Amino acid sequence: MDQKGLRPIAIFEALKGVLALLVGLGMHEMSNASIQQGAEYLVSHLHLNPASHYPSIFISSVGKLDSSNMEVKFSENNAGYVAVFDDVKST
């Protein structure tokens, strides 16, 4: 397999992982504040219609989160990255 093209893909995947980690940590820090208000602010800041399909799904999903849900989701995402990394590393 050509290793030359694999490096940009690995860098991109690492950046995605760091971004997911930062978002998860930010959401954990916001658990005391209203996460739903933050999501509504983000949707309005991006000039999206909160009543349209995808923004409303995003806002309602974020509104259902609490600190215990976030810890479970964060653990599931980390387990997924570890499984993918082990699979890639073994090939």
Side-chain angles (χ1 to χ4, degrees):
M1 176 177 248
D2 184 21
Q3 298 293 329
K4 188 177 177 182
L6 203 56
R7 183 177 300 259
I9 295 171
I11 291 171
F12 176 72
E13 291 297 327
L15 290 174
K16 278 187 2 185
V18 168
L19 179 64
L21 180 64
L22 291 174
V23 167
L25 290 173
M27 289 182 67
H28 182 61
E29 286 295 317
M30 288 180 56
S31 64
N32 293 335
S34 176
I35 298 174
Q36 186 170 2
Q37 286 179 346
E40 291 170 357
Y41 172 76
L42 179 65
V43 167
S44 67
H45 182 72
L46 295 174
H47 302 289
L48 300 173
N49 181 6
S52 64
H53 183 67
Y54 292 113
S56 66
I57 290 174
F58 172 69
I59 291 171
S60 66
S61 297
V62 168
K64 295 176 187 174
L65 288 176
D66 61 3
S67 60
S68 62
N69 288 345
M70 285 191 291
E71 290 173 6
V72 169
K73 295 293 183 188
F74 190 68
S75 299
E76 289 172 355
N77 289 339
N78 285 341
Y81 274 112
V82 168
V84 169
F85 180 72
D86 284 342
D87 187 41
V88 169
K89 190 175 179 182
S90 66
T91 58

